[in-house]
């Protein structure tokens, strides 16, 4: 009788799972850092106009967004087909814009408040009367830094549609 037994052919060693938790936590950490959460649910139709001289905003955390346009298909039965203003995740009246600006300013640090920019994301089919009303309310709230969000393209395309 021998002390040593011959190894059976064809047997594979078991796969080591000792490093599996490390890999899982590394992937989890990566996706937590790399994922951007959507801030607002868009409740309006928002096909942006095109412009050929476009600049990107550097500090997106200092931007307040005001959306304007007709309600999307999901909200037409509830809110009609007239162009509306959306502030964060709810429809609002134009008169609510001033209070919205005040609340957004208050949520930022005092030294950043002077650098806040209001970005208007307005559907290309929205009438200019609503845009003028929004701009008037922004002046009343002393929000003078205004940005119009557009798509990059030829500005002549806006007249064809």
């Amino acid at each position: 009788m021998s002390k040593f037994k011959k190894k059976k052919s064809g047997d594979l060693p078991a796969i080591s799972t000792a490093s599996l938790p490390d890999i899982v936590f590394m992937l989890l950490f990566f996706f937590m850092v790399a994922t951007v959460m959507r801030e607002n649910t868009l409740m309006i139709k928002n096909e942006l106009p095109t412009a050929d001289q476009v600049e990107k905003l550097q500090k997106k955390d200092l931007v307040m967004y005001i959306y304007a346009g007709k309600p999307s298909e999901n909200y037409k039965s509830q809110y009609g087909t007239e162009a509306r203003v959306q502030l964060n995740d709810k429809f609002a009246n134009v008169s609510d814009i001033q209070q919205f600006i005040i609340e957004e300013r208050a949520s930022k640090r005092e030294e950043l408040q002077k650098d806040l920019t209001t970005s208007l994301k307005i559907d290309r089919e929205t009438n200019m009367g609503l845009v003028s009303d929004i701009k008037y309310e922004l002046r009343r709230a002393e929000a003078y830094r205004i940005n119009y969000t557009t798509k990059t393209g030829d500005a002549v395309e806006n007249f064809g549609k």
Side-chain angles (χ1 to χ4, degrees):
M1 206 168 180
S2 72
K3 235 179 184 186
F4 302 104
K5 293 183 181 176
K6 284 193 171 191
K7 192 175 188 182
K8 295 180 184 175
S9 63
D11 284 347
L12 294 174
I15 298 173
S16 173
T17 58
S19 63
L20 192 59
D22 293 337
I23 295 169
V24 169
F25 283 115
M26 197 177 347
L27 285 171
L28 178 65
F29 182 73
F30 171 77
F31 285 115
M32 285 174 52
V33 170
T35 302
V36 176
M37 302 302 276
R38 173 178 264 179
E39 291 182 18
N40 296 321
T41 303
L42 202 56
M43 300 167 67
I44 61 168
K45 178 184 165 205
N46 197 271
E47 186 178 330
L48 298 173
T50 56
D52 52 6
Q53 296 180 3
V54 179
E55 293 180 26
K56 287 195 175 225
L57 291 175
Q58 299 301 322
K59 298 179 180 176
K60 293 203 181 213
D61 58 329
L62 297 176
V63 178
M64 303 172 286
Y65 292 100
I66 296 177
Y67 303 93
K70 295 179 181 177
S72 63
E73 293 297 324
N74 299 339
Y75 299 97
K76 273 188 181 176
S77 62
Q78 189 175 3
Y79 294 103
T81 58
E82 287 296 313
R84 309 235 357 178
V85 175
Q86 180 183 341
L87 304 174
N88 289 337
D89 281 337
K90 62 182 180 193
F91 285 118
N93 294 323
V94 175
S95 58
D96 298 332
I97 292 174
Q98 187 174 9
Q99 184 63 33
F100 169 73
I101 298 296
I102 292 168
E103 290 171 2
E104 287 291 315
R105 277 190 192 135
S107 69
K108 304 292 183 193
R109 295 193 321 250
E110 191 172 337
E111 64 269 10
L112 298 177
Q113 289 179 1
K114 63 178 174 28
D115 295 329
L116 286 174
T117 302
T118 305
S119 182
L120 301 178
K121 289 191 169 190
I122 299 181
D123 184 57
R124 68 187 317 149
E125 295 177 6
T126 302
N127 63 0
M128 198 59 198
L130 179 61
V131 177
S132 296
D133 293 344
I134 292 170
K135 288 171 56 177
Y136 176 73
E137 288 297 320
L138 290 173
R139 279 193 300 273
R140 287 185 55 207
E142 297 178 5
Y144 300 120
R145 296 182 72 168
I146 299 174
N147 170 319
Y148 292 94
T149 304
T150 64
K151 294 187 297 187
T152 304
D154 190 8
V156 178
E157 294 174 15
N158 296 324
F159 299 113
K161 292 185 179 179

